[in-house]
């Protein structure tokens, strides 16, 4: 296996870890105001991600950084073609961090409610945008013969062009699917990490979301089979796995339900990022397939890949070990029931 393939696999791995780990962060942030009946319960939900959320965002930095170092042309096409959506993602992530950090800086109930509402809104916004962006990763951009996104007009036209790929039905579907996946990850994680009434409500939400997702994927598989666009293997497998997740959640097997949900999310991310990899394509051109970016054309030089490999051998395993250790140390459940005094 050559270094180009190895680094592509690492790029996909970093994105998978980001979407799975931050996915439950976003889901918890969105569900906390809904599942918590009072400030005590909402605070318990937020505390489940308190030690982890900023560490999980490291994988976004890693995914973007590794793409920049190993596949600079791929990075350039994505960041120039989707400049404004990525700026919106960063602004929402910053606002979400403010809500998490400043929630406990004031004892007023109204202050905490506003922070919780802002946390939910920014979490849902980031998830929806990333879901739409993943569909663009799979579908491609308007790449020209030079491998750059075509543009015309002034600054306003250029900014509007970066939003145009999101103005499609498949991007909307990607956003909806991503929100559902994040809610399921968040519900199963809250069920896994809490006790008391919050755990019970999270279990019910997980069952409903998983069942709805299984039904939606089953319908998608049936439609795909009827219109004859090819075998609906991924849709069928996803529907079956989500049905299992619903059963596991109903039986309060939270760890297994969370793991099953993580597998579904990981598989979806891998499918989006490797949509054209059978032809060696990392980013398709919607103008002409001949203009698509391939692994070979988008990758850095062999000497650059060898250099970053030395850094990757040290840094990436260290991050994985540190995060695994923190999850193990902070594995105890958070109590959501009130203790009589």
């Amino acid at each position: 296996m050559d270094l180009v393939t190895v680094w592509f696999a690492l790029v996909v791995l970093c994105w998978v870890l980001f979407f799975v780990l931050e996915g439950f962060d976003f889901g918890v942030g969105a569900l906390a105001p809904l599942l918590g009946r009072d400030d005590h319960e909402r605070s318990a939900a937020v505390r489940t991600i308190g030690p982890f959320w900023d560490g999980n965002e490291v994988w976004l930095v890693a995914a973007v950084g590794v793409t920049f170092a190993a596949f600079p042309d791929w990075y350039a096409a994505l960041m120039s073609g989707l400049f404004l959506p990525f700026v919106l993602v960063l602004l929402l992530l910053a606002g979400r961090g403010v809500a998490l950090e400043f929630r406990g800086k004031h004892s007023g109930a109204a202050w905490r409610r506003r922070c919780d509402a802002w946390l939910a809104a920014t979490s849902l916004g980031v998830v929806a945008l990333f879901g739409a962006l993943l569909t663009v990763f799979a579908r491609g951009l308007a790449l020209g013969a030079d491998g750059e996104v075509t543009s015309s007009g002034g600054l306003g036209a250029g900014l509007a062009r970066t939003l145009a790929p999101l103005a499609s039905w498949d991007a909307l579907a990607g956003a909806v699917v991503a929100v559902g996946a994040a809610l399921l990850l968040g519900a199963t994680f809250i069920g896994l990490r809490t006790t008391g009434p919050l755990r019970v409500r999270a279990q019910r939400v997980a069952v409903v979301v998983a069942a709805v997702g299984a039904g939606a994927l089953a319908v998608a598989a049936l439609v795909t089979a009827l219109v004859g666009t090819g075998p609906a293997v991924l849709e069928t497998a996803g529907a079956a796995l989500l049905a299992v997740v619903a059963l596991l959640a109903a039986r309060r097997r939270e760890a297994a339900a969370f793991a099953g949900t993580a597998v579904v999310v990981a598989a979806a991310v891998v499918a989006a990022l490797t949509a054209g990899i059978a032809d060696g394509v990392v980013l398709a051109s919607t103008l002409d397939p001949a203009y698509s970016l391939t692994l070979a054309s988008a990758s850095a030089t062999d000497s650059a890949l060898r250099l970053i490999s030395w850094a990757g051998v040290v840094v990436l395993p260290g991050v994985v070990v540190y995060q695994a250790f923190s999850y193990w140390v902070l594995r105890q459940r958070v109590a959501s029931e009130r203790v009589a005094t």
Side-chain angles (χ1 to χ4, degrees), residues 35-36 38 40-45 47-48 187-203 252 254 331-339:
L35 296 181
D38 54 28
H40 175 78
E41 292 181 357
R42 290 189 291 271
S43 296
R47 284 201 302 274
T48 63
T188 53
F189 187 76
I190 291 175
L192 180 63
R193 294 276 289 119
T194 61
T195 64
L198 202 58
R199 179 186 181 187
V200 175
R201 295 186 202 115
Q203 170 204 342
R252 304 188 74 173
E254 291 99 345
R331 65 187 183 278
Q332 298 299 321
R333 292 179 180 267
V334 177
S336 66
E337 59 267 58
R338 291 187 176 277
V339 178

Side-chain angles (χ1 to χ4, degrees), residues 259-273:
T261 307
V263 169
V264 173
V265 173
V269 175
V270 171
L273 293 176

Side-chain angles (χ1 to χ4, degrees), residues 2-4 7 69-70 300-313:
D2 60 9
L3 285 178
V4 173
W7 277 102
T301 62
D302 289 341
S303 58
L305 291 176
R306 285 194 297 270
L307 178 62
I308 63 175
S309 294
W310 287 105
V313 167

Side-chain angles (χ1 to χ4, degrees), residues 21 37 60 67 76 81 83 95 126 129 138 154 208 211 221 224 231 245 271 274 303 329:
L21 297 178
R37 295 292 186 263
L60 176 60
T67 305
F83 171 76
V126 173
L129 275 173
V208 171
T224 302
V245 168
T274 61
S303 58
V329 170

